[in-house]
């Protein structure tokens, strides 16, 4: 039976996949294709599902070489592709509004600047044409004649051993260049995307005007070095009672800084009941039984199945399976493998296969490819391969866990409450953090179906139950109830409550540190750095050479506050304690070293140039971000994919 399954594995997978496809078509999550729902709408521009799906498949094929992606990876990929379509639609609108277009001169210049990319596409097209000639040829003589005639018609720069850029540039100027499909395709890309995008970036960046005065201020600030003595009372040394910040204080801070607490993305909070997906003793026994079946087949003298073939088909160690199970091309010594595996591997004679060996990774069937012994006849090194069968929860185990949660859902739908039903089954009801539309509940990571449950598509039938269906990944089965939500653009106290409370607690700790540092200021002022044994309780003493853009203890790296403190400090005197990023700080400026005039002038030139390029890029990125944030975008991803 096992041999038959191995031999027919591909057909079994095909039949199984067909069954899944039929099941998916029966689900109400799949939209009525007759109504041709777009995958998304940007303003009035529709993104077709066909175009979207084609791009996803192309990326999987080209970037991932068709390797298996899990649900979360596919979800992330779809989100990225959707975002690219949104940006593409937004850019197209801006090109039209600004009347941006590629001139003939710009197109030709682009072709000339990207000769390698153009040639690569031309070669592909030429190869495809030669393949078509081969398929159409009626004889070997006909094939040779037609192939030679076609090759003779190609531009010289494609057939010459050494690429001649002058010949290529001259060819770009001829009408013959634009009879190639590859050239027309590239021309279309340049007209509709790359050239207008560069024009738009130039247009947006036209407002960026860095000045030498600004650069001079920045350079002198960055290149001036200070020798400092620093005393820090870290906030972490001053524990503040969490109850010292109450809801009234949090609300007061929120109201005083209300424009700082916009909801950036749609967010929801959940109550949930979860059960870990773990293999049972029965699952372990089943895997071992299957491992023994493989072992018997491999050691059956009448079997034609080799260990290496079996490893490629059955092993769940992807790193070694494709190599026929071999773990290393070299002989390795003790300590290279986990203990149970090592003991079995070093006990095997060359060519022998072990019975299944259990480790924390699962069951291993090990084959020895030889060993190296010392003068005493003791095995010092081995070369082995293995077939790994991981021990995971079986479908029956998972079904039993899902059934528990399904029954809770049914009872809640019938009128009971979630807490009562969970407790009756010995389970807890917990509350999640606030979760954004594209985020995850921290305790679980990605749960397929959570976003679709929390933010159902308006084109789907309304879900009557307040409890989700069973959500799952490899480690958990979960049901959830949405208990609160926010829409992007709102101002929200509950969403930011914990963050505000942490800020207020940190401020209190900083004030406590400042008061303490003031109380020991006299000791700080008497500190002699040469006395390496000098200590003040709860205070860290340190000498530091840094610019105001560098790292200074207590302030952190590049903190603007250090510039204000140092700027007001009198050389040779300690400043009063100030509350900084990481606690309370006193600073003494021992000396100041200013840069040379010629160094400043050279740095100013570089800064002006860098500031312009960086400023243009920043301005354009800000422009695109604002454009995306201000544009209504309708996503129908959940009509096609249950994320």
């Amino acid at each position: 039976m096992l041999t038959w399954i191995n031999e027919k594995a591909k057909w079994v997978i095909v039949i199984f996949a067909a069954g899944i496809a039929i099941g998916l078509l029966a689900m109400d999550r799949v939209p009525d294709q007759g109504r041709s729902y777009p995958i998304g709408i940007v303003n009035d521009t529709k993104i077709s599902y066909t175009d979207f799906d084609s791009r996803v498949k192309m990326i999987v094929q080209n970037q991932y070489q068709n390797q298996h992606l899990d649900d979360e990876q596919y979800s992330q990929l779809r989100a990225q592709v959707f975002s690219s379509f949104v940006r593409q639609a937004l850019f197209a609108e801006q090109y039209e509004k600004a009347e941006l277009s590629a001139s003939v001169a710009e197109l030709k210049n682009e072709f000339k600047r990207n000769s390698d990319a153009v040639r690569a596409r031309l070669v592909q097209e030429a190869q495809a044409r030669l393949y078509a000639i081969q398929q159409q040829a009626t004889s070997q003589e006909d094939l040779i004649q037609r192939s030679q005639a076609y090759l003779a018609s190609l531009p010289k720069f494609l057939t010459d051993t050494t690429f001649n850029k002058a010949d290529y540039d001259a060819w770009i100027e001829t009408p013959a260049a634009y009879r190639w499909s590859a050239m027309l395709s590239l021309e279309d890309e340049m007209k509709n995307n790359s050239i207008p995008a560069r024009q738009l970036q130039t247009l947006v960046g036209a407002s960026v005007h860095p000045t030498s005065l600004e650069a001079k201020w920045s350079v002198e600030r960055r290149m001036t070095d200070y020798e400092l003595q620093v005393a820090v009372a870290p906030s972490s040394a001053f524990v503040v009672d969490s109850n010292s910040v109450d809801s009234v204080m949090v609300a007061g801070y929120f109201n005083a800084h209300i424009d700082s607490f916009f909801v950036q993305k749609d967010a929801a909070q959940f109550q949930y009941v979860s059960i870990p997906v773990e293999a049972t003793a029965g699952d372990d026994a089943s895997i071992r039984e299957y491992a023994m079946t493989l072992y018997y087949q491999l050691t059956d003298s009448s079997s034609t199945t080799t260990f290496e073939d079996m490893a490629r088909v059955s092993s769940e160690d992807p790193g070694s399976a494709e190599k026929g199970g071999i773990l290393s091309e070299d002989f390795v010594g003790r300590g290279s493998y986990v203990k149970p595996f090592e003991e079995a591997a070093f006990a095997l004679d060359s060519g022998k296969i072990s019975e299944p060996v259990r480790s924390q990774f699962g069951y291993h069937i090990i084959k020895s490819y030889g060993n190296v012994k010392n003068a005493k006849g003791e095995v010092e090194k081995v070369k082995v391969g293995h077939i790994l069968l991981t021990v995971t929860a079986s479908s029956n185990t998972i079904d039993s866990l899902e059934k528990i949660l399904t029954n809770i859902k049914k009872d809640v739908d019938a009128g009971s409450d979630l807490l009562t039903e969970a407790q009756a089954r010995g389970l807890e009801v917990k509350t999640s953090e606030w979760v954004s539309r594209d985020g995850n509940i921290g305790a679980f990571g990605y749960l397929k179906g959570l976003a679709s449950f929390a933010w159902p598509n308006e084109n789907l039938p309304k879900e009557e139950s307040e409890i989700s269906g069973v959500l799952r990944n490899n480690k958990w089965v979960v049901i959830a109830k949405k208990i609160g939500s926010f829409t992007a653009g709102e101002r929200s106290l509950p969403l930011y409550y914990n963050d505000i409370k942490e800020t207020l607690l940190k401020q209190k700790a900083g004030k406590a540190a400042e008061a303490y540092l003031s109380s020991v200021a006299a000791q700080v002022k008497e500190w002699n750095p040469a006395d390496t044994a000098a200590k003040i309780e709860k205070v860290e003493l340190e000498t530091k050479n840094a610019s105001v853009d560098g790292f200074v203890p207590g302030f952190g790296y590049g903190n603007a506050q250090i510039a204000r403190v140092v700027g007001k400090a009198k050389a040779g005197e300690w400043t009063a304690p100030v509350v900084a990023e990481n606690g309370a700080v006193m600073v003494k400026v021992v000396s100041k070293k200013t840069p040379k005039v010629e160094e400043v002038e050279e740095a100013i030139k570089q800064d002006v140039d860098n500031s312009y390029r960086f400023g243009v890029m920043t301005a354009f990125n800000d422009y695109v971000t604002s454009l995306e944030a201000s544009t209504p975008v309708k996503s129908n991803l959940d009509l096609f994919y249950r994320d």
Side-chain angles (χ1 to χ4, degrees), residues 591-610:
S591 65
K592 175 181 176 181
K593 181 182 178 182
T594 57
K596 296 178 181 178
V597 174
E598 58 271 22
E599 292 175 341
V600 172
E601 290 177 349
E602 180 61 29
I604 288 172
K605 292 177 184 178
Q606 294 180 1
D607 266 32
V608 168
D609 183 49
N610 292 338

Side-chain angles (χ1 to χ4, degrees), residues 165-382:
K165 182 66 163 57
D167 286 349
Y168 171 79
D169 288 347
W171 179 77
I172 290 295
E173 299 291 340
T174 67
Y178 304 96
R179 298 191 187 112
W180 288 70
S181 297
M183 291 292 287
L184 295 175
S185 175
L186 269 170
E187 183 179 19
D188 189 59
E189 288 178 23
M190 292 174 184
K191 275 183 178 179
N192 298 313
N193 190 9
S194 59
I195 293 176
R198 193 159 55 244
Q199 292 171 340
L200 181 61
Q201 186 171 1
T202 302
L203 191 64
V204 173
S207 62
V208 177
H209 297 288
T211 67
S212 57
L213 188 62
E214 292 171 321
K216 184 173 186 286
W217 177 85
S218 176
V219 165
E220 290 180 340
R221 169 191 171 98
R222 184 177 70 244
M223 297 180 69
T224 299
D225 288 324
Y226 294 89
E227 181 185 352
L228 304 173
Q229 292 177 8
V230 186
V232 182
S235 299
S236 57
F238 300 87
V239 179
V240 178
D241 183 1
S242 177
N243 294 324
S244 66
V245 174
D246 58 24
S247 58
V248 175
M249 297 168 68
V250 173
Y253 187 92
F254 172 80
N255 291 327
H257 306 84
I258 195 165
D259 286 338
S260 299
F261 300 110
F262 277 104
V263 178
Q264 300 296 320
K265 297 179 180 179
D266 293 349
Q269 191 175 35
F270 305 92
Q271 284 184 335
Y272 61 85
V273 181
S274 61
I275 306 176
V277 176
E278 297 173 344
T280 63
D283 295 331
D284 189 289
S286 295
I287 297 299
R288 188 180 191 287
E289 182 179 355
Y290 176 58
M292 287 299 299
T293 303
L294 298 187
Y295 169 74
Y296 288 137
Q297 184 176 353
L298 290 169
T299 54
D300 183 351
S301 59
S302 63
S303 174
T304 59
T305 302
T306 68
F307 179 90
E308 293 73 24
D309 287 341
M310 184 68 79
R312 291 186 184 96
V313 173
S314 302
S315 180
E316 295 175 77
D317 175 9
S320 66
E322 61 183 19
K323 301 174 186 175
I326 295 176
L327 287 167
S328 172
E329 295 297 331
D330 301 319
F331 287 82
V332 298
R334 292 184 181 275
S336 300
Y337 305 118
V338 293
K339 199 65 176 176
F341 186 101
E342 179 182 282
E343 290 176 355
F346 276 75
L348 280 177
D349 290 332
S350 180
K352 295 297 182 180
I353 296 173
S354 74
E355 288 192 14
V357 177
R358 184 70 159 94
S359 78
Q360 69 253 43
F361 300 109
Y363 282 98
H364 309 262
I365 302 172
I366 307 170
K367 179 178 179 179
S368 172
Y369 290 92
N371 53 52
V372 177
K373 298 180 179 179
N374 61 21
K376 297 179 181 179
E378 300 167 335
V379 176
E380 288 188 334
K381 293 183 178 181
V382 295

Side-chain angles (χ1 to χ4, degrees), residues 353-559:
I353 296 173
S354 74
E355 288 192 14
V357 177
R358 184 70 159 94
S359 78
Q360 69 253 43
F361 300 109
Y363 282 98
H364 309 262
I365 302 172
I366 307 170
K367 179 178 179 179
S368 172
Y369 290 92
N371 53 52
V372 177
K373 298 180 179 179
N374 61 21
K376 297 179 181 179
E378 300 167 335
V379 176
E380 288 188 334
K381 293 183 178 181
V382 295
K383 180 180 178 181
V384 295
H386 78 148
I387 296 170
L388 172 65
L389 302 176
T390 59
V391 179
T392 55
S394 65
S395 58
N396 287 338
T397 297
I398 295 172
D399 287 346
S400 67
L401 299 177
E402 290 187 349
K403 186 175 182 181
I404 295 171
L405 298 183
T406 300
N407 288 335
I408 292 176
K409 173 181 167 65
K410 286 180 180 178
D411 289 341
V412 174
D413 289 343
S416 186
D417 67 270
L418 185 61
L419 181 61
T420 299
E421 296 305 325
Q423 289 179 340
R425 295 164 174 84
L427 300 172
E428 290 184 78
V429 175
K430 297 181 180 179
T431 301
S432 77
E433 69 278 19
W434 287 95
V435 180
S436 65
R437 185 188 284 263
D438 57 355
N440 303 311
I441 297 177
F444 311 117
Y446 178 75
L447 288 172
K448 187 175 183 180
L450 179 66
S452 299
F453 163 70
W455 296 279
N457 191 289
E458 61 186 19
N459 295 304
L460 290 172
K462 185 176 180 181
E463 178 61 58
E464 298 299 329
S465 176
E466 62 179 7
I467 305 293
S468 73
V470 177
L471 312 169
R472 57 171 289 190
N473 56 28
N474 292 332
K475 297 181 178 179
W476 298 92
V477 289
V478 182
I479 55 173
K481 174 183 178 181
K482 187 164 72 170
I483 58 174
S485 63
F486 293 105
T487 303
E490 294 180 356
R491 296 176 179 88
S492 166
L493 173 57
L495 183 61
Y496 290 101
Y497 187 94
N498 289 334
D499 291 339
I500 294 173
K501 184 170 182 177
E502 285 300 316
T503 297
L504 293 175
L505 288 171
K506 186 176 181 180
Q507 288 179 357
K508 280 180 169 288
K511 287 295 184 183
E514 181 185 28
Y516 178 79
L517 193 56
S518 295
S519 71
V520 295
Q523 292 175 255
V524 171
K525 293 175 181 179
E526 292 175 1
W527 172 53
N528 181 3
D531 183 2
T532 56
K535 290 183 180 180
I536 302 174
E537 186 180 2
K538 294 186 179 181
V539 176
E540 298 169 358
L541 301 167
E542 187 175 345
T543 59
K544 184 73 177 178
N545 289 322
S547 73
V548 295
D549 283 346
F551 176 81
V552 177
F555 292 96
Y557 185 87
N559 191 306

